[in-house]
Amino acid sequence: MEINQYFYLFSFKPQLLTDERIRIERKYKNKAVDIIKRRGKMLLPKLLELIRSTPIEKIEELAQSLKKMEVLLLIYDDYPFPNENQETVLKINRILTSRYSIEVGKTAWTIFQHQFEEALLQDLLRGVYHVDRFGFLLLDDRLQERMEHAVYHKGGMVQGLTSMVLSMDMKTKDIFDKLKVEAESKLEATLMKNVLEQGLATDQLIKRDGTEFIMRLLDKYPMDEYKLLIRIYLEARKFNQFHANLIQQAVDRLRDPRERITDWEFLSDGALEEVKRWLIQKKLQIIFKDDQDNKRLNYWKRFIDYMQDVELIQDPMIAFIYFDKFVVVEYGQMGAAYFYHREGFDQIIHPISTSYSFKNSRSRTNKEAMLKVPERTRKGIPLYIDKLGHHGRNWADKFDYYMRYYLDGVF
């Protein structure tokens, strides 16, 4: 006998028949639900009356006597039955868990997306979880363990799910996908806001999800809600702990607080000062951006707590660094820093920077020279204090020596 008669060179798969089966399944996927709902208009009132009249101790017996269609009718039609009393809904919950099927679990979870505040619905879901541990979600062991804590959380399931999201190293969007949280559902919106309210005070959520994701979330909120959320973020940090994207978003939405303070009155005074310090640091970064070693930037950052403001001139790059009793003029192109008494600077130097001759000069050298006025006084006004260069290995020590005196008002 030849072996070839048992092995074939060709095999065939009824692909067209398979495709047609899939098409029909998709077309009539919800047909059973539709049929049950249509029949429910006639059957449900009698079924509810039967449940009402059945003592609680007899509900298990009743549940076993019902047809599958009658059980599904209780979850498909009008659950959680707002017009029924608590006892009747609790009986319905007992029936649904006693005669549990995956359709009951899926449907209850779908209803939960939009009516999660219903206590009796949460009661049903806890019963469902007890029966099959939300098998319809196909959770892995790691999620399953945390889901158990969420379901039985003393603050309710929504707070349990919030704590679950915050406790994991998986990104928020991925967790929502695993939990089959519907996009734009009431549950998604509430969970996301809870996560922000409870997670923005620390860096864990931001590191996990990234600042771009957090920004997109925050940008969706109207101003009143945005202020409540960004306040949580800002009041938990010093200026050097802010994430550049998030604080810049706040400044873009609320404007510079030194120009429009009314939009920032929701913040504590301390947090507002940190925002101002961040803005000062940003301007220092701009003026010293061409320095290769960042030494000037790092030096002046040490004194941000003492600075009142930094004003920039863009062409050429010049910075006026304001302290309480004196002003430092620094140049983008490294040279000496000029120190002036605050009164003399305000009345003499600053007006030069806004003058016609300064604005219309095309010479960088001439513009810089206009602001270098080594006169101790002018018209009886204290003006020039000193100039200090940034060259040499120990220039920072030299600056420190003088800054200690200047900050105390000793010139």
Side-chain angles (χ1 to χ4, degrees), residues 162-349:
T162 302
S163 300
M164 175 181 178
V165 173
L166 289 170
S167 70
M168 301 190 69
D169 56 8
M170 189 185 301
K171 292 183 181 295
T172 299
K173 184 180 183 305
D174 294 337
I175 298 173
F176 280 20
D177 289 343
K178 295 284 188 183
L179 299 182
K180 295 181 174 57
V181 176
E182 294 179 14
E184 299 184 9
S185 66
K186 187 176 178 181
L187 178 63
E188 184 199 48
T190 302
L191 279 179
M192 200 66 81
K193 190 170 183 183
N194 284 0
V195 166
L196 291 173
E197 287 176 342
Q198 297 174 38
L200 282 176
T202 67
D203 285 351
Q204 179 183 347
L205 175 67
I206 298 168
K207 287 179 180 178
R208 184 187 74 185
D209 286 326
T211 56
E212 291 294 331
F213 178 77
I214 302 298
M215 281 177 61
R216 288 196 299 272
L217 293 181
L218 291 173
D219 202 42
K220 295 178 181 178
Y221 290 98
M223 186 59 75
D224 287 347
E225 294 181 66
Y226 174 76
K227 286 181 178 180
L228 293 174
L229 292 171
I230 202 63
R231 177 179 180 175
I232 295 169
Y233 173 82
L234 294 173
E235 294 195 345
R237 292 168 173 83
K238 298 296 184 182
F239 77 92
N240 54 3
Q241 297 172 318
F242 293 152
H243 300 79
N245 288 349
L246 297 179
I247 181 63
Q248 187 61 58
Q249 180 188 46
V251 173
D252 290 342
R253 289 194 69 171
L254 299 166
R255 303 188 189 181
D256 189 322
R258 295 162 301 183
E259 299 171 3
R260 186 181 172 86
I261 190 63
T262 55
D263 287 333
W264 293 85
E265 290 176 347
F266 67 96
L267 268 188
S268 66
D269 292 342
L272 182 57
E273 287 304 312
E274 295 302 322
V275 173
K276 292 177 180 178
R277 290 184 180 107
W278 183 86
L279 289 166
I280 287 173
Q281 176 179 259
K282 184 181 178 184
K283 289 185 176 181
L284 292 175
Q285 290 169 337
I286 293 172
I287 185 66
F288 300 127
K289 64 183 177 64
D290 292 331
D291 287 10
Q292 298 299 314
D293 55 14
N294 286 326
K295 286 185 178 179
R296 286 198 294 174
L297 171 62
N298 291 332
Y299 181 80
W300 286 118
K301 280 170 65 175
R302 293 165 46 201
F303 296 93
I304 286 178
D305 287 349
Y306 300 96
M307 295 178 188
Q308 295 184 341
D309 197 4
V310 172
E311 182 181 348
L312 296 182
I313 297 174
Q314 297 291 339
D315 184 22
M317 189 64 75
I318 302 171
F320 301 150
I321 305 175
Y322 290 86
F323 293 87
D324 182 30
K325 296 179 180 178
F326 65 99
V327 179
V328 182
V329 179
E330 278 276 23
Y331 299 90
Q333 185 167 320
M334 190 179 296
Y338 276 66
F339 291 72
Y340 295 102
H341 291 278
R342 181 70 179 263
E343 181 185 5
F345 177 87
D346 289 343
Q347 296 189 40
I348 297 167
I349 303 299

Side-chain angles (χ1 to χ4, degrees), residues 4-242:
N4 284 342
Q5 65 180 314
Y6 296 105
F7 293 89
Y8 302 98
L9 298 177
F10 303 98
S11 64
F12 299 92
K13 181 179 180 181
Q15 188 62 49
L16 291 177
L17 186 59
T18 301
D19 292 344
E20 182 65 9
R21 175 184 61 78
I22 293 172
R23 186 186 70 80
I24 291 173
E25 285 179 351
R26 288 175 177 170
K27 181 177 180 180
Y28 296 104
K29 182 174 67 172
N30 296 319
K31 201 66 177 177
V33 177
D34 294 338
I35 292 171
I36 292 173
K37 285 185 175 181
R38 283 202 300 270
R39 294 196 64 184
K41 293 179 181 178
M42 297 179 291
L43 298 177
L44 186 59
K46 293 181 179 180
L47 180 57
L48 288 174
E49 180 58 38
L50 179 59
I51 293 171
R52 290 188 209 105
S53 63
T54 302
I56 189 71
E57 62 270 14
K58 296 286 187 179
I59 282 296
E60 293 287 342
E61 184 179 333
L62 174 62
Q64 299 308 315
S65 71
L66 297 177
K67 298 176 182 178
K68 181 178 180 181
M69 184 190 70
E70 292 174 315
V71 174
L72 293 178
L73 182 60
L74 294 173
I75 191 70
Y76 282 161
D77 198 270
D78 198 27
Y79 192 88
F81 299 99
N83 296 323
E84 298 294 331
N85 62 35
Q86 180 174 331
E87 182 183 6
T88 301
V89 180
L90 286 172
K91 290 178 182 179
I92 292 170
N93 286 356
R94 292 275 290 273
I95 293 170
L96 290 171
T97 52
S98 177
R99 291 288 305 280
Y100 177 77
S101 66
I102 196 168
E103 291 94 339
V104 171
K106 285 182 176 179
T107 307
W109 188 247
T110 299
I111 297 170
F112 182 69
Q113 311 278 318
H114 307 279
Q115 300 185 56
F116 56 79
E117 67 281 348
E118 293 287 345
L120 292 174
L121 174 56
Q122 293 191 39
D123 176 78
L124 173 61
L125 283 169
R126 282 188 281 269
V128 167
Y129 188 83
H130 181 74
V131 173
D132 85 334
R133 291 169 61 83
F134 287 2
F136 56 89
L137 290 178
L138 302 175
L139 302 177
D140 60 33
D141 291 342
R142 182 175 51 158
L143 283 164
Q144 191 68 260
E145 180 183 351
R146 286 176 168 81
M147 178 57 84
E148 182 169 353
H149 293 294
V151 169
Y152 298 111
H153 196 282
K154 63 181 180 180
M157 282 185 61
V158 172
Q159 180 54 49
L161 290 169
T162 302
S163 300
M164 175 181 178
V165 173
L166 289 170
S167 70
M168 301 190 69
D169 56 8
M170 189 185 301
K171 292 183 181 295
T172 299
K173 184 180 183 305
D174 294 337
I175 298 173
F176 280 20
D177 289 343
K178 295 284 188 183
L179 299 182
K180 295 181 174 57
V181 176
E182 294 179 14
E184 299 184 9
S185 66
K186 187 176 178 181
L187 178 63
E188 184 199 48
T190 302
L191 279 179
M192 200 66 81
K193 190 170 183 183
N194 284 0
V195 166
L196 291 173
E197 287 176 342
Q198 297 174 38
L200 282 176
T202 67
D203 285 351
Q204 179 183 347
L205 175 67
I206 298 168
K207 287 179 180 178
R208 184 187 74 185
D209 286 326
T211 56
E212 291 294 331
F213 178 77
I214 302 298
M215 281 177 61
R216 288 196 299 272
L217 293 181
L218 291 173
D219 202 42
K220 295 178 181 178
Y221 290 98
M223 186 59 75
D224 287 347
E225 294 181 66
Y226 174 76
K227 286 181 178 180
L228 293 174
L229 292 171
I230 202 63
R231 177 179 180 175
I232 295 169
Y233 173 82
L234 294 173
E235 294 195 345
R237 292 168 173 83
K238 298 296 184 182
F239 77 92
N240 54 3
Q241 297 172 318
F242 293 152

